Amino acid sequence: MSNEINKTYNPKEVEERLYNTWVEKGYFTPTPDKTKEPFTIVIPPPNVTGQLHMGHALDETLQDILIRYKRMAGFNALWIPGTDHAGIATQIKVEEVLRKEEGKTRYDLGREKFVEKVWEWKKHYGDRIINQLKKLGSSCDWTRERFTMDEGCSKAVKEVFVNLYKKGLIYQGSRIINWCPRCITALSDAEVEHAEQAGHFWHIKYPVKGSDEFVVIATTRPETLFGDTAVAVNPEDERYKDIIGKTLLLPLTDREIPVIADAYVDKEFGTGCVKITPAHDPNDFEVGLRHDLAQIKVLNDDATMNHYAGKYEGMDRYECRKQMIKDLDEMGLLVKVEDHSHNVGQCYRCGTTVEPIISKQWFVKMNSLAQPAIDAVKKKDTEFVPEHFEKVYFHWLENIRDWCISRQLWWGHRIPAFYCDDCGEMVVTKEDGAVCSKCGKPMRQDPDTLDTWFSSALWPFSTLGWPDKTEDLSYFYPTSVLVTGYDIIPFWVMRMMFSGIEHTGEVPFKYVFIHGLVRDAQGRKMSKSLGNGVDPLEVIDEFGADALRFTLATGNSPGNDMRFSTERVTASRNFANKIWNASRFVQMNLTIDELCVPAASELALEDKWILDKLNRLVSEVTENLDKFELGVAVAKLYDFIWDEFCDWYIELVKPRLYDTENPTNKTAQQVLSYVLSNTLKLLHPFMPFITEEIWLSLPHEGESIVIANWPTADDALSFPAEAAQMEMMKGALKAVRNKRAEMNIPPSKKAAMFIVTDHTELFQNGAVFFQKLASASDVTVLKDKSTVGENTVAVIVDGAQIYIPLGELVDFEKELKRLEEEKKHLLGEIKRVEGKLSNKGFVDKAPARVVEEEKAKGEKYREMLQKVEESLSAFQKEAN
Ligand SMILES: [Zn+2]
Ligand SMILES: [Zn+2]
């Protein structure tokens, strides 16, 4: 016999001890093995400065469920953990600390010192999130832990940059990019969030040179006027045919600009005249290229005006806007101001309104990379779960612009491009400290760093050793599933896809399993400003990791958001306690010390029933897990354990269990431990700690449930006919109990019972259950009710009628009323079924099986109604 478990479950004591053992034993550390099939997940690396929030807790729980399931199912399961350096996010955090604690900026420290500071920060906080992942029970292989800026990942980044540059897929160019004037850096399109904002259309007159004519343009950003290098009209626009080629006097400046014709201009929109500012608008930029216009940038990096703004130089963009509008108005050049709500881009890190601005940056050419990534999903090389998220993926890839990858930040992978300040030579190389091949002078490295997503795009293969041809890479790649939220499909998923295909020739993962957000109990997003966030670590501390994991898995369906509440965690903890108490009961009644498959010939009806149920549970849960229906799987486990196993089977089996002389006592023990042990295995991926603690205390084979074999359905233990019989008896037991409860008769008040049924043998054998579970004193099973006396209350269920002589116990009026209500209910059901069956649409469209089921239901209701009517008339006789 194994060690006895404690009276109550104490997660704190159990979790750390078990987790350390698992790590020490190396259960999470697979080695490549050609005889086994690999199953690989790479963790979406949490930001190094972050701490575990509910979104991570969900993400990691889902991954751990899949990994633990596959490990038990015989796969060589590898879950690679790690963290992301998170360029912009981390830099901002460290800068904030620097400002608060030392009153300094990063420029005060200088690049080298500042970067050192960020590394210190990383050492401190990088471990924090890792420890939190462990607390959750994540079965990651910590020997393979990675960081996006570690040596290997840095090597991969350089390799990719140089390769793409050589292929002409990385280039340097002046393009319109999104500029955050607060973070002082370029952003990619994916890093800009769009929000509807109330603004204005300012209608401004531009005088035609040498006449008193003028054109009117409308703009939402009047301060960019200083960068105008033309006004464009549609060549088809009759209104403006005459002024094409004329010269305009640009207000508030001494510059003159031409009127050009370009089909890009929409005649119907605004005045039909468009100011062209090539340095501050992506469309104007293209127009400018077509017409060879100058590109005049009027903003400094911090969004103050530069010298092109004349007397407004040095003003902030919005201050300048206010002042110049006032001046234009005074000059009579402001025609009108219209309210206008428009879509404004904001920095995803700091919320500042971004400026589209021309800037010399590094870009990845996207067209040739995007197409294979689109094709791969179309061909189902990679599948989204749920499928409809591929639309988001296609939308981004099909409309993609070149990816701006350079960032004016200090924290990150430095761009491996070097310049010779003497002769202007530029080289892109993996080597550090290049020397100019033309003049032999040392070269200066590009000061910019790469978009943080440039390195995370390589994560599925850089973590496995790429560009080296490692054993891990050839065995564990491509990975099996990527588990992530829908919000980072454009940032991350699609970039991993095209990077994987381009650099390894294979898609990086077979499935992308998308989950939603964790919302609060009212369905609101958890956020700092609302103060409604729940700290997963506090939940673990109070309720245990299993309760948190179980809560997150319950109700989870791919792609959908979920709600989190303390009530739900409490319910999960209660479930854990229920399992614990039931297991303790089983354990205390076991005299056998070996786990074995019970022999079919010795099984009682209730044994066959629970074994048959277990078989179905095994098949269904396995199928659900394979289809990523984790919420469905966990609900089935909950129902089985709570209802079938604890509330029914244990109660049904107690008489045999207490009767140690009973020859079927041993069988009962075997079935109890067999069912419990297998159920614990099924539950293990969801609740790893409590299942291990109990499993080890029961008869078991092997050293840990973590590496135990996943259960499979056993045909020898499939008893559908007996299971159906038991269900019938369960129905009768439940009905009698409900009836007695309705009549407020305490369980201690025993009463005789007459069971009228065609299934006499079944109920004869089940008499003991009616005594133990339904407060029966004597049970008489009859073929017909002729010998049942008058003055009884009838309980009518499918397959049996149970009559209980009530004597003085019953309130006749009430009983009469109840029967009448039952009659009404059955009539309603019959009407519903008949309505359905007379509906041609239903009968024609529904599968034949469903129609048959409805017909059978109708038959059953009619039979029950007949019995109720018989009782009613008997009762009415009595009452009169
Ligand atoms: Zn910003
Ligand atoms: Zn040179």
Side-chain angles (χ1 to χ4, degrees):
M1 199 52 251
S2 310
N3 55 314
E4 194 179 302
I5 57 175
N6 288 331
K7 199 152 183 226
T8 53
Y9 180 57
N10 176 5
K12 267 198 199 128
E13 186 274 320
V14 172
E15 289 174 1
E16 201 175 334
R17 169 167 52 80
L18 291 180
Y19 194 84
N20 290 339
T21 310
W22 293 337
V23 172
E24 276 161 27
K25 293 268 189 181
Y27 298 154
F28 306 159
T29 305
T31 42
D33 175 355
K34 288 266 154 40
T35 66
K36 286 170 98 183
E37 203 181 320
F39 181 85
T40 316
I41 295 181
V42 286
I43 201 168
N47 287 354
V48 71
T49 58
Q51 43 178 329
L52 199 76
H53 58 62
M54 217 35 106
H56 292 123
L58 172 66
D59 201 45
E60 317 311 353
T61 296
L62 299 180
Q63 291 172 74
D64 199 41
I65 290 168
L66 295 175
I67 277 284
R68 284 180 185 269
Y69 157 54
K70 289 290 183 175
R71 187 183 291 123
M72 292 173 81
F75 287 77
N76 212 0
L78 170 62
W79 185 11
I80 303 178
T83 47
D84 194 307
H85 68 281
I88 192 166
T90 309
Q91 174 158 332
I92 290 175
K93 264 218 168 109
V94 178
E95 282 184 292
E96 265 170 27
V97 172
L98 201 60
R99 198 184 58 234
K100 270 192 203 141
E101 287 177 4
E102 302 178 37
K104 287 182 182 164
T105 70
R106 64 173 150 138
Y107 302 100
D108 295 330
L109 261 73
R111 184 166 190 149
E112 208 172 308
K113 281 260 149 56
F114 179 77
V115 170
E116 260 173 42
K117 246 208 150 53
V118 189
W119 274 108
E120 274 169 33
W121 176 277
K122 185 260 161 189
K123 278 193 191 83
H124 189 69
Y125 290 104
D127 288 346
R128 180 172 64 174
I129 193 140
I130 293 299
N131 288 329
Q132 293 170 338
L133 289 178
K134 291 178 179 170
K135 277 205 149 63
L136 195 62
S138 312
S139 61
C140 301
D141 180 1
W142 300 107
T143 68
R144 286 179 169 95
E145 185 189 332
R146 300 300 298 270
F147 175 53
T148 50
M149 265 169 72
D150 67 19
E151 209 186 317
C153 288
S154 303
K155 186 174 166 187
V157 162
K158 281 187 198 168
E159 182 81 17
V160 163
F161 192 98
V162 172
N163 284 350
L164 291 178
Y165 180 77
K166 282 188 183 150
K167 289 181 196 163
L169 293 175
I170 279 186
Y171 65 91
Q172 206 174 16
S174 286
R175 286 286 150 94
I176 299 286
I177 49 91
N178 307 290
W179 183 264
C180 176
R182 175 137 184 264
C183 301
I184 317 269
T185 182
L187 300 170
S188 68
D189 291 346
E191 287 166 319
V192 175
E193 286 169 353
H194 292 274
E196 205 54 32
Q197 253 181 30
H200 301 285
F201 253 136
W202 283 276
H203 293 246
I204 302 167
K205 281 183 189 171
Y206 285 19
V208 179
K209 188 183 176 187
S211 80
D212 36 5
E213 282 179 291
F214 55 84
V215 298
V216 177
I217 59 90
T219 177
T220 56
R221 292 189 299 157
E223 65 282 4
T224 61
L225 169 153
F226 300 105
D228 288 359
T229 48
V231 163
V233 297
N234 190 296
E236 308 290 310
D237 196 335
E238 295 297 331
R239 294 172 293 177
Y240 300 119
K241 273 234 149 88
D242 295 344
I243 64 158
I244 295 169
K246 287 195 173 158
T247 300
L248 303 174
L249 301 171
L250 186 63
L252 304 174
T253 71
D254 51 10
R255 286 200 295 119
E256 296 178 354
I257 56 173
V259 179
I260 58 169
D262 195 290
Y264 147 74
V265 180
D266 180 357
K267 285 190 288 185
E268 313 299 324
F269 190 76
T271 61
C273 291
V274 178
K275 70 197 263 308
I276 300 296
T277 325
H280 289 276
D281 179 278
N283 294 315
D284 294 6
F285 176 81
E286 300 295 334
V287 174
L289 290 182
R290 286 198 286 276
H291 298 270
D292 201 20
L293 301 174
Q295 299 161 341
I296 299 177
K297 192 174 141 183
V298 301
L299 289 174
N300 295 314
D301 287 350
D302 59 357
T304 56
M305 307 304 297
N306 67 16
H307 67 278
Y308 283 106
K311 69 169 187 170
Y312 308 97
E313 183 180 356
M315 284 185 189
D316 172 77
R317 53 184 163 168
Y318 300 125
E319 193 191 338
C320 165
R321 179 181 295 180
K322 222 158 115 192
Q323 190 57 48
M324 67 184 286
I325 289 297
K326 201 170 151 229
D327 294 346
L328 286 169
D329 196 16
E330 276 166 17
M331 292 159 73
L333 293 177
L334 185 68
V335 183
K336 62 173 174 176
V337 185
E338 256 175 2
D339 287 339
H340 174 66
S341 125
H342 57 151
N343 224 337
V344 173
Q346 293 167 332
C347 171
Y348 83 135
R349 281 295 163 201
C350 75
T352 303
T353 299
V354 300
E355 284 290 331
I357 215 167
I358 197 164
S359 180
K360 193 173 181 193
Q361 301 287 346
W362 289 92
F363 294 88
V364 176
K365 207 180 255 176
M366 283 310 308
N367 276 345
S368 65
L369 292 172
Q371 199 52 52
I374 293 171
D375 296 343
V377 172
K378 294 228 156 114
K379 279 188 301 190
K380 304 277 175 209
D381 291 344
T382 295
E383 294 178 45
F384 278 83
V385 180
E387 198 181 356
H388 65 86
F389 279 100
E390 63 179 41
K391 278 194 215 129
V392 180
Y393 173 86
F394 289 139
H395 174 81
W396 275 89
L397 279 172
E398 280 161 1
N399 295 288
I400 202 157
R401 294 198 301 163
D402 286 355
W403 177 18
C404 174
I405 49 169
S406 41
R407 295 289 179 275
Q408 289 62 54
L409 301 170
W410 288 351
W411 175 242
H413 295 278
R414 197 143 165 196
I415 288 175
F418 296 82
Y419 308 93
C420 174
D421 288 331
D422 262 38
C423 71
E425 174 74 353
M426 196 264 290
V427 20
V428 167
T429 170
K430 287 182 263 180
E431 310 304 323
D432 288 334
V435 169
C436 179
S437 60
K438 293 212 170 126
C439 60
K441 294 252 166 63
M443 300 177 95
R444 175 176 59 83
Q445 187 168 6
D446 195 301
D448 290 352
T449 52
L450 286 164
D451 180 1
T452 200
W453 300 96
F454 192 89
S455 52
S456 37
L458 318 179
W459 189 243
F461 46 98
S462 64
T463 51
L464 287 166
W466 188 93
D468 296 336
K469 291 187 174 60
T470 60
E471 206 188 350
D472 269 7
L473 184 70
S474 69
Y475 181 76
F476 289 111
Y477 187 85
T479 69
S480 310
V481 193
L482 173 79
V483 180
T484 193
Y486 54 70
D487 48 336
I488 56 175
I489 292 174
F491 286 108
W492 196 42
V493 178
M494 69 173 197
R495 286 176 184 154
M496 283 190 282
M497 282 292 288
F498 68 69
S499 301
I501 295 169
E502 174 70 15
H503 305 296
T504 71
E506 287 180 279
V507 293
F509 23 73
K510 174 73 189 110
Y511 294 100
V512 181
F513 173 27
I514 300 284
H515 58 74
L517 305 174
V518 185
R519 296 177 176 275
D520 74 1
Q522 281 120 62
R524 298 172 304 176
K525 234 175 160 170
M526 287 189 183
S527 76
K528 269 199 191 121
S529 53
L530 282 175
N532 62 344
V534 181
D535 182 352
L537 293 155
E538 283 173 17
V539 176
I540 292 174
D541 202 47
E542 190 179 348
F543 297 92
D546 285 339
L548 173 62
R549 294 168 59 114
F550 191 83
T551 306
L552 291 169
T554 299
N556 183 272
S557 77
N560 290 323
D561 292 351
M562 64 180 311
R563 290 182 185 199
F564 187 91
S565 69
T566 311
E567 289 72 35
R568 291 190 55 219
V569 193
T570 309
S572 300
R573 183 186 51 192
N574 293 347
F575 178 57
N577 289 339
K578 179 100 177 173
I579 300 168
W580 187 265
N581 294 337
S583 303
R584 209 175 119 78
F585 170 81
V586 171
Q587 193 193 41
M588 294 198 315
N589 286 285
L590 286 189
T591 55
I592 58 168
D593 51 14
E594 253 175 62
L595 192 64
C596 68
V597 181
S601 58
E602 289 166 21
L603 297 172
L605 180 72
E606 65 273 21
D607 300 337
K608 290 182 174 175
W609 166 74
I610 195 75
L611 288 166
D612 189 77
K613 287 254 168 192
L614 174 70
N615 254 353
R616 282 169 203 241
L617 182 75
V618 167
S619 308
E620 288 178 16
V621 166
T622 306
E623 195 188 328
N624 292 140
L625 285 173
D626 285 335
K627 289 179 171 167
F628 302 100
E629 296 163 346
L630 311 193
V632 179
V634 82
K636 285 179 185 162
L637 280 163
Y638 179 93
D639 290 344
F640 179 84
I641 294 170
W642 191 292
D643 196 40
E644 315 290 12
F645 185 70
C646 295
D647 284 357
W648 281 98
Y649 185 68
I650 289 184
E651 294 305 321
L652 290 168
V653 88
K654 268 179 183 171
R656 285 159 66 200
L657 207 56
Y658 292 151
D659 181 4
T660 47
E661 303 301 308
N662 189 323
T664 66
N665 170 283
K666 281 270 182 311
T667 319
Q669 290 192 39
Q670 286 170 355
V671 176
L672 267 177
S673 47
Y674 176 85
V675 174
L676 181 55
S677 170
N678 278 297
T679 309
L680 290 170
K681 286 185 191 176
L682 295 175
L683 187 64
H684 175 72
F686 301 90
M687 300 182 114
F689 295 108
I690 193 170
T691 50
E692 170 81 321
E693 187 73 357
I694 298 171
W695 190 81
L696 288 174
S697 76
L698 293 169
H700 62 275
E701 277 167 25
E703 59 182 40
S704 166
I705 197 170
V706 176
I707 50 168
N709 290 332
W710 186 253
T712 48
D714 183 348
D715 285 342
L717 299 178
S718 167
F719 308 101
E722 287 91 337
Q725 287 184 338
M726 186 69 225
E727 282 299 322
M728 188 190 282
M729 189 140 62
K730 246 183 83 188
L733 286 163
K734 261 195 214 170
V736 171
R737 289 208 297 221
N738 289 346
K739 179 87 203 313
R740 291 181 54 113
E742 246 170 57
M743 297 189 300
N744 287 323
I745 299 175
S748 54
K749 185 83 208 170
K750 309 274 180 197
M753 249 173 238
F754 295 90
I755 304 175
V756 177
T757 178
D758 291 338
H759 311 272
T760 44
E761 196 191 333
L762 171 70
F763 283 90
Q764 200 62 62
N765 291 337
V768 62
F769 301 139
F770 285 86
Q771 286 163 341
K772 295 284 173 190
L773 304 177
S775 303
S777 47
D778 295 320
V779 178
T780 314
V781 180
L782 301 165
K783 265 232 171 276
D784 63 70
K785 62 169 293 206
S786 57
T787 55
V788 178
E790 299 289 311
N791 196 7
T792 59
V793 155
V795 177
I796 290 128
V797 292
D798 183 26
Q801 307 111 52
I802 298 130
Y803 300 93
I804 310 170
L806 285 164
E808 70 276 14
L809 282 178
V810 154
D811 179 335
F812 278 85
E813 288 300 309
K814 250 193 188 165
E815 185 54 19
L816 203 57
K817 209 171 145 213
R818 191 192 65 81
L819 280 168
E820 266 160 2
E821 264 162 26
E822 180 72 25
K823 181 178 169 183
K824 213 168 109 195
H825 167 73
L826 286 169
L827 283 170
E829 288 299 312
I830 290 166
K831 199 174 159 199
R832 188 185 58 76
V833 171
E834 281 173 351
K836 232 173 170 179
L837 289 173
S838 65
N839 176 348
K840 221 175 126 35
F842 169 76
V843 178
D844 290 348
K845 270 189 218 124
R849 184 180 52 81
V850 176
V851 177
E852 279 314 306
E853 272 173 19
E854 281 302 316
K855 281 188 184 155
K857 267 189 213 164
E859 199 49 46
K860 192 178 87 188
Y861 291 140
R862 271 188 289 274
E863 268 172 35
M864 285 166 72
L865 178 66
Q866 198 195 337
K867 304 276 156 57
V868 167
E869 279 171 340
E870 279 170 23
S871 303
L872 254 180
S873 63
F875 231 84
Q876 276 154 344
K877 233 193 275 164
E878 194 63 33
N880 293 333

